[in-house]
Amino acid sequence: MHKAIVHSGIVSSGQEPPSQYDRPPTFDGFLEERDTIVPMRDGVRLSVDVYRPDTSEKVPALLAFAVYNKDVQGPDVMQALSPQPAWSPLWSGWLEAGDTKFLTSRGYAHIIGAPRNFGKSEGGGSREWDSYDLIEWIAQQPWCDGNVGMIGISGFGAEQFNVAKQRPPHLKAIFPFDPRGSYGKLGSFREEYPGGVLHLFRYLISHNIVMHQNKGRPGSLPPDKEKLWQEAMRNPDYKMYPHIYNVLTMKGQHMPQIFDLLIDPFDREETVTQAEADYDKIDVPAYTGSGWYGYSYKTHLNGAQSWFGNIKSPKKLLLCGPAHVERPFHAFHHEILRWYDHWLKGMDTGVMSDPPVKFWVMGANEWRYADDWPLPETQWTPLYLKSWGRLQSQEFVRSSAGEDQAPDAFVQMPLTQTVEVQKLRYMTEPLPHDVLIAGPAVLNLFAAIDQDDTNWIVSLKDVGPDPSVQTAKEGERSVPVGLPEREVSRGWLKASHRAVDPKRSKPGRPWHPLTRAAQKPVTPGEVNEYAIEILSSANLFKAGHRICVDIMAMDVPSGVGGATNVEYISYHLCSSRTTLHKVYHDGQRPSHLLLPIIPSG
C-alpha cells in the first residue's frame, strides 16, 4: 500500500502543483509570424501564428490547436488582459493556448492555430488529419529541431489526445490538461453528460467558437434525422426552454452541434468499442489532469481520469483544487517546462521520478502524491440512509421492529411554476475524527416516482463545524440552521438510463450504457435501484464536521433567457412535469452512499 506524500505550502489555492523546477529565461525577445499559411494534404490551407525565440538556433516547438479564435490567444491579449481569477467578470474560459512569452523565453517555439472550417483557416473537406499534417509541417521548418509537443487546455487538450492516436512521427510528448472525454472523438457523450442528463455548458460556450457557418432557411433533413427531429420537437422538456426550442426549429442551421445533441441524446455502443480499441494507439508520453472545479460541467474531470486509466504510455495525472485556473492560461507552466525539458530537450528534470499522481485535498488544503488513481488503498465504505435525515454506518436489520419501511418523499414542480428546488437531506452526526475521501462516490438509491422519468441530482457536501448535540431539549431538537456548508461534488442520473453494464463497471463508477436501446421508461410507482455516480473529488471531512448528501431533481439557471452567470457552472434540462419522488431505506431496499475512504497512517 502506498502512503501518500503530503506537500503543503504557506499559501496555496490548489492551482499550482508542488514543483520546485525552474530555469532562468535564455532569450529576451521573440519573432512572430501571424497568419502563416500551412497547406494540408488535400490542399486546404490552415492559418496559424508562429512565435519563436529570436535566435538562429533550432528549437523544439509546442503546438496549441483548437476550434477557438487564435487571434485572442497570443501574447498581445495577455499583455492587455492580465490573467484573471475564476471569479473575475473578465475570466474567459477559452483563452487557453498558453503563455507565449514564458515558452519562447525558455527556448520553445509556440504555434497557435485552428483546424479547417474555423477562424481564418480555409473550409472544406475533413479535418481528420489537420493536426497530424501541421505537426509534421512544423518539424520541417528551418527553425525547428524536429521535436514537437503540444500545449493548451480544454479544446486544446482534446486535440492532443486525438492526434496522438494517429502517431505523427515528430510528436514526442503531450500535456493535455482538461482534455474532454475519452470515449469518443474529441469528447464523449457519457463523460460530458453523465447519467444521460443534458446540461447547457456546450450551448453556452458555443458562442465563442469561430466555426464557419452560413445560416439559411431550414430545409429538409435525411429521413432518419427528420424522424429524430420530429420526436424532439414534441418533447415538452425542450419546449419549456425557449432558447433550446429555438435551436431545434432551425433544423441544424443554428448551432448544428447542439441541434445534433438535442435530437439524439444518447451514447453509442460502437463509439465506446472504438474508443476502447484506440487507447493502445497512444504511445507518446502524456501528462493529463483537471481540477475539482470540473464536476459542474463534467467532461474535463471525467476525461482526464479516463485517459489516465486507459492509456499504457508513460503518463502522469494532476488534479487541482476547486477554483478554475486563471485565464489567459498561464498556470503550472513550470510543471509544463519540467515535462518538456525532459521529453523534448533531454534534460534531467526529475519529472518521471515523482509518483504518477498529484492531487489537491480540499478541507486539508494540501497536495498529496499517489501511485495510481483511484488510490489502491481505497476502502469503499457504505453509509446508509435512514429516517429523520440520518446517514449512518450501521447496516439495516431485516424484519427488525425498528426497520424503516416508510419512504421519505419530495415533490418537485417544474421551472414553469417555481424556482424552489426541493430536496431530501441526509447527514452523519458530527464526525469523531477526520475522514479523507479520494475518488468517485456512488449513491445507491432505491426509489419510486409517479412519472415515467426524472433527473436524479445528488450533491455531496461538507457541513460544519457543528459543536451541537441533538436531544429532546428545546433548542436541541434539530440540526442548527446556518451551519457552514461546502459542496464537494455532484452526481446525475436520468431515471430511464438506470441500466448498468456490470462488465464495464468499476468500484465507484457504475457504467450506464446511455444508449437508445438501453433506455427504459420508469413504471410509475415501481421501486427501482439507481446507481448514481458522484464525480471524483478529494476532501478531508474534519472532526466535528458532517458528511451530507442532498437528493434533488432540478437545478435553476442563474440568469434569464437561457443565460447563466458562469458557463461552466451550467444548468440541466429538467422535467416539465410535477413529480413525486419517494426514497426507500430498509433491509430489502438499503439505500446507501458508498464513499472512497482513504485510511490514515
Side-chain angles (χ1 to χ4, degrees), residues 237 240 410-418 422 449-454 553-554 574-581:
D237 296 351
M240 186 171 66
F410 70 97
V411 174
Q412 182 62 63
M413 294 189 295
L415 271 175
T416 53
Q417 296 174 258
T418 184
Q422 303 300 318
I449 58 176
D450 66 349
Q451 303 286 352
D452 64 359
D453 214 345
T454 193
M554 185 179 81
C574 294
S575 177
S576 57
R577 298 170 292 180
T578 296
T579 305
L580 169 64
H581 304 75

Side-chain angles (χ1 to χ4, degrees), residues 36-109:
T36 300
I37 298 300
V38 182
M40 299 291 97
R41 63 183 64 189
D42 61 355
V44 173
R45 301 183 301 172
L46 305 188
S47 178
V48 304
D49 293 339
V50 177
Y51 304 94
R52 51 190 178 87
D54 187 3
T55 177
S56 59
E57 300 175 21
K58 292 188 174 186
V59 297
L62 299 178
L63 170 63
F65 196 66
V67 297
Y68 298 115
N69 188 353
K70 69 175 181 60
D71 289 352
V72 296
Q73 306 288 344
D76 50 341
V77 172
M78 187 171 285
Q79 185 173 359
L81 179 68
S82 60
Q84 302 290 298
W87 52 90
S88 165
L90 293 178
W91 187 96
S92 297
W94 42 286
L95 302 182
E96 303 171 318
D99 187 339
T100 297
K101 288 186 176 180
F102 179 93
L103 299 171
T104 56
S105 69
R106 287 160 174 82
Y108 289 90

